[in-house]
Structure formats: C-alpha cells, structure tokens
Amino acid sequence: MAKLVSKTYGDALFELALEENAMDMLFEEVQVLSEVLAAGDELMKILNHPKIAKEEKLQVVETVLKGRVSDHLTGFIMLVVNKERYNELPAIFSYFIARVKEYKGIGTAYVSSAVELRDTQKKEVEKKLLATTDYKSFEICYEIQEDLIGGMVIRIGDRVVDSSIKTKLENMTRELIKIQL
C-alpha cells in the first residue's frame, strides 16, 4: 500500500514539475527537505502527533514552509497533509527524486571493493559505466568490503556485476563439490 501511495503522489509531483517547468527547482527543494525530514525534523513530529488537529497541522506547514520553499511544493505538502498521508512524505520524496534522476539520465551506482580505489580507478569505473549504460552521468557510492579479497561488486538498480575474488572462489568451490571421483 505504501508503495502505491508514494508512487501516486510522487508521480503527481513529477507531473507538476513538468507542467510548471520547475523540475530543477523542485528537485533541489525536495532533496533538501527530504534530508531535513530524515534527520528527525520537528515538523514530522508535529504532523504525526495524534492530538493535533488537521487544521493546525496545515497551518504549521504553511507557516514553516511559506517563503522557504516554492509555492508549488508548499501546496503539494499541504495536499498530502490534508489527505492525512504525511507519514508517506519521506517515501514520496524518495520516489520523486528517483523519478527525476531517471528522467535526467542520472544513474546511481554502488561500488564495493576490497581496498579503496584510487581516483584514476574511480574515473575508469565511471567511464566504463557510462559506456555500458544509457545514463548521461552517475552518482557513485564507493564502499570498502575487505571480505571481497579483490575485484569489485557494482550495483545499479536491480542489476549486479560481481567480479570479486570471493565470489569466484565460491563458484569454484561449488563446481569442485559437484565433481565426483
């Protein structure tokens, strides 16, 4: 159910951004607001408080956001609060951010390696990813996992390319176990 709500509202915000030609502005505002909400902002505590009436919540949203973010985003958040879907705001924002990145051709890759990669290696990884995908640019998150022994594991969405020595050894072990003497 939560997935459906975040998709419905996220798509609505995306369409609003397209129609109003405000994609970049809304994208930046939603990213910042998403980080603020994730940090345990007081606004979410107020919105989730069961003893505060909906009208008061709407008034708080308008007071807090008016002049700080665009009227489009303020109106959208007020709509979400009016429909009592404020619990879904982080998921809605996450969906919207992912949708805008896809629209702009920005991919997100997670690269795990046994040791920290040098800058030249990172540039080579990005160059290879750009050459093998349809994305125009990448946001790459690098992580060190010493248990990989060597090689890399690259994740883009639901696709995984695992060239780690750990996986190769595990595959060899499985194949050797299958051999009967």
Side-chain angles (χ1 to χ4, degrees), residues 2-178:
K3 183 82 169 175
L4 181 62
V5 170
S6 63
K7 182 182 179 332
T8 303
Y9 282 90
D11 284 338
L13 184 57
F14 181 80
E15 293 299 323
L16 173 69
L18 272 178
E19 286 176 17
E20 298 296 326
N21 202 19
M23 188 70 69
D24 293 333
M25 179 188 65
L26 283 173
F27 181 63
E28 287 177 26
E29 289 178 348
V30 167
Q31 282 183 311
V32 170
L33 199 53
S34 184
E35 290 171 13
V36 169
L37 294 178
D41 185 55
E42 295 295 319
L43 180 62
M44 283 306 288
K45 291 177 185 173
I46 291 169
L47 293 176
N48 287 318
H49 199 287
K51 292 189 177 180
I52 298 176
K54 186 190 324 183
E55 292 76 25
E56 290 179 72
K57 291 176 184 181
L58 288 167
Q59 195 172 39
V60 167
V61 167
E62 187 172 10
T63 304
V64 169
L65 297 180
K66 200 74 166 171
R68 293 193 176 123
V69 297
S70 67
D71 290 341
H72 298 305
L73 188 56
T74 303
F76 176 78
I77 293 171
M78 289 183 69
L79 171 76
V80 171
V81 171
N82 195 38
K83 297 288 186 180
E84 297 185 2
R85 296 292 193 177
Y86 35 81
N87 285 335
E88 301 297 328
L89 274 174
I92 292 167
F93 288 164
S94 179
Y95 178 85
F96 174 76
I97 289 168
R99 179 99 193 264
V100 172
K101 284 181 180 179
E102 196 67 33
Y103 176 77
K104 290 182 164 200
I106 302 170
T108 302
Y110 299 92
V111 177
S112 302
S113 60
V115 294
E116 186 165 347
L117 300 176
R118 294 184 306 269
D119 287 340
T120 55
Q121 291 172 315
K122 289 179 180 180
K123 287 178 183 162
E124 280 298 312
V125 167
E126 185 174 8
K127 184 178 172 184
K128 188 72 168 172
L129 290 175
L130 288 170
T132 57
T133 64
D134 294 331
Y135 292 110
K136 298 173 187 163
S137 65
F138 268 98
E139 292 177 353
I140 303 176
C141 301
Y142 293 96
E143 178 185 34
I144 298 172
Q145 290 183 354
E146 293 175 358
D147 65 327
L148 294 178
I149 305 169
M152 283 186 252
V153 177
I154 301 173
R155 289 180 178 81
I156 302 172
D158 60 353
R159 294 184 299 176
V160 177
V161 176
D162 189 344
S163 65
S164 68
I165 292 176
K166 176 184 174 184
T167 300
K168 290 178 182 178
L169 287 173
E170 289 171 354
N171 291 341
M172 284 177 28
T173 303
R174 276 194 289 275
E175 292 300 316
L176 288 172
I177 290 173
K178 289 180 184 177

